[in-house]
Amino acid sequence: DEFDKMGADHQSLLEVMEQQEVSVAKAGLVASLPARATIVAAANPEKGHYDSSGSLSDNIKLSPALLSRFDLIFLMLDQPDEEVDGLLSEHVMRLHGRGSGKENIPALTFGKATQRRRAGGRGGGRGSQRSDSGKDRLLERIRALQSSGTKPVPLEVIQKCVAYARKHVAPVLTEEARVVLKRCYLELRSQNANCVGGIPITVRQLESMIRLAEARARCEMRERVTVEDAEDVVAIMRESLYSTVMDEYGSIKVGGRKKGKHAEAKRYLTTLAKMARAQGRRTFSVQELYGIADDIRLQVDDMVNLVEELNYAGELLKKGNGMYSLA
């Protein structure tokens, strides 16, 4: 907990999470100790609330190198909701009102409130057209399990199952599962081709999906990773990326965040300069300027205002008749 309060100690985790060993130097002796453990961390935003216009590393002040070593990252945003807040307050008061007894408190489930929040948060724009049948099937199975009244497995049984699976079960990927994971990785890479910051999509994400798929099969004591395992992992990975670095259109944000106006203006001028060199001309019409902005998906609120500001700054010179020239 409080992962963001570690200060400079974050760097010591890079070796642990990459090589799964930790180097210790004491009294002139240097030793490398095994550190095969799962790391589950929770961190708070630096300013007390999450700024959706910034990247994940901007909000919690963790280096992209460290963030990329986590298999999954989820945002838990505190959004006001009367039904959810009421259920949560009842649950907290029930915990404090049970006295010194050890009776079990039923798990807190949000049901329709969670479904309504999901539908409302992603219902507008082209992002609502993003189809992901694997995620839908996974959610349906989870909701069906919640409503079935199935009793949870005792902790002692879970511990024995985990110990047995780690020692005796070693799943291998089937060819069909390889195809699903590979296709997901290539799609993420193609969307992430221009990433210059934030959480880049690298081979680590592919290795994460392989580990998660193997763990999914190991949970059911199976020796082979099936297509269903791979599809579940892809759904979880996409949900993790959607909450951290994907925009409302379902594409990965460049740099993990929306760029500022100055950075976008610089990117726009660089594109114009490249086109001017390629075409042997430095003059563009207003329609061409707007078309180029659409082609590179320029993230500005008012394109007319941007052109006027570039003209005022001397970067784009107005020639009349709706024509502009690069300075």
Side-chain angles (χ1 to χ4, degrees):
D1 197 9
E2 303 291 347
F3 194 61
D4 53 303
K5 307 296 191 300
M6 289 179 61
D9 296 333
H10 287 127
Q11 302 304 318
S12 61
L13 288 176
L14 296 179
E15 179 189 11
V16 175
M17 300 179 71
E18 183 68 25
Q19 282 85 32
Q20 294 187 333
E21 63 180 24
V22 56
S23 298
V24 181
K26 292 291 184 181
L29 300 176
V30 179
S32 294
L33 305 176
R36 296 181 62 84
T38 299
I39 297 180
V40 181
N44 295 315
E46 184 188 30
K47 299 178 181 179
H49 68 280
Y50 190 85
D51 183 7
S52 59
S53 64
S55 68
L56 186 66
S57 57
D58 290 337
N59 278 275
I60 60 178
K61 296 302 178 184
L62 295 177
S63 65
L66 182 60
L67 289 174
S68 67
R69 282 167 167 79
F70 284 96
D71 291 340
L72 297 170
I73 300 175
F74 294 98
L75 295 182
M76 299 181 65
L77 302 180
D78 185 16
Q79 299 173 343
D81 186 293
E82 184 176 358
E83 183 177 351
V84 173
D85 294 341
L87 290 171
L88 185 59
S89 62
E90 288 289 340
H91 182 72
V92 172
M93 288 187 289
R94 194 160 54 241
L95 287 175
H96 285 275
R98 65 177 179 175
S100 58
K102 295 184 178 180
E103 65 272 12
N104 292 328
I105 298 297
L108 179 63
T109 57
F110 297 110
K112 295 181 180 180
T114 304
Q115 298 178 27
R116 187 179 66 252
R117 176 179 291 186
R118 285 182 176 272
R122 298 179 189 177
R126 285 175 284 178
S128 60
Q129 301 174 7
R130 189 174 58 96
S131 62
D132 195 339
S133 58
K135 187 189 77 170
D136 294 338
R137 288 196 298 269
L138 179 60
L139 287 175
E140 288 174 2
R141 293 206 307 271
I142 294 174
R143 289 167 182 162
L145 183 63
Q146 288 180 342
S147 59
S148 64
T150 304
K151 294 183 179 180
V153 180
L155 180 59
E156 295 78 9
V157 176
I158 293 179
Q159 291 174 337
K160 292 179 181 179
C161 291
V162 170
Y164 179 86
R166 293 182 65 179
K167 186 175 181 179
H168 299 286
V169 183
V172 295
L173 288 172
T174 61
E175 188 60 34
E176 295 81 3
R178 292 173 187 266
V179 172
V180 173
L181 297 180
K182 180 181 178 180
R183 182 170 61 245
C184 175
Y185 173 69
L186 293 178
E187 290 176 359
L188 294 176
R189 284 286 292 178
S190 64
Q191 295 178 9
N192 193 237
N194 298 320
C195 185
V196 295
I199 306 177
I201 304 300
T202 63
V203 180
R204 284 198 183 118
Q205 275 65 41
L206 178 59
E207 293 175 341
S208 296
M209 288 191 289
I210 294 174
R211 283 195 298 268
L212 292 169
E214 292 175 348
R216 174 72 177 80
R218 192 178 287 116
C219 286
E220 298 184 359
M221 306 295 177
R222 286 188 276 104
E223 297 290 342
R224 296 169 65 84
V225 179
T226 63
V227 176
E228 289 74 17
D229 296 330
E231 290 177 345
D232 285 352
V233 167
V234 168
I236 295 172
M237 179 64 71
R238 288 189 180 277
E239 183 69 14
S240 171
L241 290 172
Y242 189 96
S243 65
T244 53
V245 296
M246 281 189 175
D247 58 19
E248 65 272 21
Y249 303 111
S251 300
I252 296 178
K253 299 177 188 175
V254 176
R257 62 186 183 277
K258 291 185 177 179
K259 292 187 174 181
K261 191 173 183 178
H262 177 74
E264 286 294 84
K266 185 176 180 180
R267 182 165 71 95
Y268 184 55
L269 290 174
T270 302
T271 303
L272 290 177
K274 289 180 179 179
M275 295 190 65
R277 288 194 298 268
Q279 300 176 7
R281 63 188 180 96
R282 301 185 64 82
T283 303
F284 299 89
S285 66
V286 174
Q287 290 75 17
E288 289 176 325
L289 293 177
Y290 293 167
I292 294 171
D294 290 337
D295 292 339
I296 64 175
R297 298 184 67 178
L298 201 66
Q299 299 178 7
V300 293
D301 297 330
D302 190 349
M303 187 60 196
V304 176
N305 187 35
L306 176 63
V307 173
E308 291 178 353
E309 290 181 357
L310 292 176
N311 178 42
Y312 182 79
E315 301 289 350
L316 276 178
L317 304 180
K318 191 172 184 179
K319 295 295 185 179
N321 295 325
M323 303 296 293
Y324 287 84
S325 175
L326 281 172

